[in-house]
Amino acid sequence: MTSGDRKPRPALGFFTVIDQPECGLFGGYLVLNSAGRPLEFQCTTPIRPNRAQQILFGPTLEPYLFGEQIGQTLLSKSRIRPLLVYTDRQPALAVREFVDFPVVLVLPQDLASTSAETSDPRRAGGAVWRIDGAHPGAEPLMAFTWGRNRLAVAQSADEDRQRVASSMADWGDAFDLAEPFGRIREAIEEARRGGQ
């Protein structure tokens, strides 16, 4: 088999936005192969919305910044097309309208397991965690499980939930989908310190 005959290995994308009050919002995008090794990493310079934008955009500001401004920029510049993109920030799901692959929210691990007192997976430590939007215009989320990971997609994107199951068949269901976000945060912090 020549190198031209090789099928590209499947890759997963991990996208997050970090809010550092002294600097602004940083976006980070990490692409991993099936062994969990990095294939590509990108991050943005900080973005800080001004007061007029905060007022005019209201509750739509974060989806606009995370999805259209930061996410679309990072994902469109990527050289590698992933099977799926995972995010740990709900407003980042807004990037889905700009890409042709699923964008899936990874819910926090402490919410992924049910407690002995209740069978409601939204309850953790006696508190209820909302997965629907904080304002009336936000689209509700549909939560589901893959391996030990608790995930969610926009309710209108049920086909994305189905694509997760088929696309992740070759990945071990023990794969911790939350772990890469820690790598992104550390890499952005290192880049920020290096730029000072």
Side-chain angles (χ1 to χ4, degrees), residues 158-170:
D158 186 48
E159 70 279 357
D160 285 358
R161 183 182 58 80
Q162 295 167 5
R163 285 175 65 185
V164 168
S166 63
S167 297
M168 296 298 290
D170 293 338

Side-chain angles (χ1 to χ4, degrees), residues 15-18 24-29 41-47 65 69-75 77 188 191-192:
F15 163 56
T16 193
V17 176
I18 299 159
L25 299 171
F26 289 87
Y29 181 58
F41 175 74
Q42 297 183 41
C43 63
T44 63
T45 56
I47 295 174
L65 292 173
Q69 293 293 299
I70 297 171
Q72 183 182 17
T73 300
L74 288 172
L75 274 59
K77 291 184 180 199
I188 288 174
R192 192 179 71 81

Side-chain angles (χ1 to χ4, degrees), residues 10-14 30-33 82-84 86 168 171 175 177:
L12 297 178
F14 294 85
L30 175 64
V31 180
L32 300 178
N33 68 15
L83 294 171
L84 311 159
Y86 290 99
M168 296 298 290
W171 297 68
F175 194 94
L177 295 172

